[in-house]
Every structure is written in C-alpha cells, then in structure tokens.
Amino acid sequence: MDQELPKIHPRSAEEIATYEEQERKRITLEILGRANFPRTYAPNQLERYSKHEGWRKAFDEVLELLRKHPPAGDFGALIAIIGFRGTGKTALGVEVMRATAHKHMFVYYANLLACLQRLRFNNEPAQTQEDYWDPALLVLDEAGVTPNSKREEDEFSRLVDERQSNQKHTILIAPARLSDLDLLFTPSIRERLNTPKTSKVIHLDWESLR
C-alpha cells in the first residue's frame, strides 16, 4: 500500500508579501554594506539638511536626472555637486546612493585621491573593476583635485567616459563656488559637464548648515 504523501499548504498572500519585503531589505542592506560610505558621515546629519528647502530641491533634482537616464542607447548621467563646506554636498551624494540602492542597483563611494591611486597602481584589477566600473552609481568626493600626472588624468577621463558609455551614473562632489568651475576637474571632464542632455552642475549656494 502506497504511503500517503503529506499535503503541502501554500503560503498565505500575507506570508509571501512579508517574505518578499524581507528579501528586498536584505538585498538593499547587502548593497549598502559594500558601498564604502564615508566614515565621517553620520546618518543623524541628514535631519538638518533635509529641513533645508534648497537641499531637498537639489536632492529631488538629482534623483529626477538619474531617473531619466539612461534611456535606451543613451549615456549615463554625469553630475557635479559643488558648494561651500557644510552645505550638505556629501550628505546629498550619500542619500542619492541610498535611494539608488533601494532599487537594488549597486553603488560605491570614494575620495577622488583614493580613486586616482587605485587607477594608477591597479594592483587588484578585478576589485578595481568591481568598485569603480561596475556600480550603477559611483560617487567621487573631493573631486576638485587635479591629477598628478597625464597618466592619472587619462585614466580618470577614461573611467568617466566608459561609465557614461555603459549607461552608468557618476556624481562628482567638490568644495567650490560656481565661479570656480573653470578651475575644477580636468578639461575633458569640464567638456562633458557642458553636455546638458546627460550632465548637470548643481550648486548648493547657501552658507554652512553645520
């Protein structure tokens, strides 16, 4: 006599929804866990910035630009966030990273000097590829630094160019005024920032909020 198999009861819709929500949170936390957030940034700083109307407007503007790009066959977005220290530039970049991670897209943060060093020596090609070329969004802080050599400049330009060509977004953060823009970045980066369709300079033009 054949043994009767136990009946398998399907999960309820509520249990499935709970499981899917837990999975979404797990994936988001995994992405954020490898995002290399700056140690100097504290989440409680967000409250003071998010109360500022200009900061909230800038945040929405960046998200809208990233949402629009890249349409099929187009380039990824290149965004420069500039302003005095304490205006919330890094907080803006970090919160855009969080919003992007919630869509289960990989993100990564780095100081430009550290990025240039990695590009120059490239002792770990696979890790460099994973950190700088692969993320859907790369945020480079203190990005007004001038590369030390033509090779560094070329490697940095190649990174930004290939990321845009591969429909990936890059945010450059620099402590500067809008009038200093011609002194920032490399000529090739400035040229790309002058392409309104895929690039944007966002100036946080208020005093320090710290």
Side-chain angles (χ1 to χ4, degrees):
M1 183 176 179
D2 293 335
Q3 185 177 359
E4 185 178 352
L5 294 175
K7 292 181 180 180
I8 299 176
H9 298 283
R11 291 181 174 181
S12 67
E14 183 178 349
E15 288 175 322
I16 292 173
T18 299
Y19 171 77
E20 290 177 344
E21 177 63 21
Q22 289 173 341
E23 272 298 286
R24 284 193 290 270
K25 288 181 178 179
R26 183 190 65 77
I27 294 171
T28 299
L29 289 173
E30 186 177 308
I31 292 172
L32 293 174
R34 67 166 303 277
N36 193 41
F37 281 134
R39 295 180 181 179
T40 55
Y41 176 76
N44 59 9
Q45 294 176 352
L46 176 62
E47 184 177 356
R48 76 166 72 102
Y49 297 127
S50 62
K51 290 179 179 178
H52 190 277
E53 183 179 353
W55 190 94
R56 293 197 308 273
K57 182 179 177 181
F59 177 72
D60 291 340
E61 191 174 359
V62 174
L63 289 186
E64 179 63 14
L65 185 60
L66 297 188
R67 186 188 66 79
K68 287 182 177 179
H69 294 283
D74 207 341
F75 292 96
L78 175 63
I79 301 171
I81 301 174
I82 63 174
F84 290 120
R85 295 193 180 277
T87 52
K89 300 181 304 299
T90 298
L92 182 56
V94 168
E95 291 309 315
V96 170
M97 289 173 67
R98 290 186 194 279
T100 304
H102 278 287
K103 297 180 180 179
H104 296 170
M105 301 167 70
F106 285 103
V107 297
Y108 194 77
Y109 170 97
N111 181 289
L112 179 59
L113 280 177
C115 173
L116 291 175
Q117 273 196 324
R118 290 274 296 278
L119 295 178
R120 182 168 74 240
F121 297 108
N122 201 14
N123 296 323
E124 300 177 310
Q127 191 64 50
T128 301
Q129 173 79 29
E130 182 179 333
D131 291 344
Y132 294 107
W133 265 269
D134 292 348
L137 172 64
L138 174 66
V139 175
L140 294 174
D141 210 345
E142 303 295 339
V145 175
T146 303
N148 291 322
S149 66
K150 182 65 166 60
R151 179 184 174 186
E152 280 190 359
E153 181 177 332
D154 289 345
E155 284 295 306
F156 180 47
S157 296
R158 184 170 72 88
L159 170 66
V160 174
D161 185 52
E162 289 189 12
R163 285 186 54 77
Q164 281 201 282
S165 297
N166 292 325
Q167 303 185 345
K168 297 178 185 297
H169 306 311
T170 306
I171 293 178
L172 307 176
I173 299 174
R177 298 170 297 186
L178 192 60
S179 57
D180 297 330
L181 192 60
D182 287 342
L183 304 175
L184 294 173
F185 314 122
T186 62
S188 61
I189 299 298
R190 290 200 299 270
E191 183 180 348
R192 289 180 179 85
L193 285 171
N194 285 325
T195 308
K197 184 180 179 183
T198 55
S199 301
K200 180 81 175 180
V201 176
I202 294 180
H203 184 206
L204 308 189
D205 59 347
W206 48 82
E207 297 298 320
S208 174
L209 300 176
R210 291 176 182 170

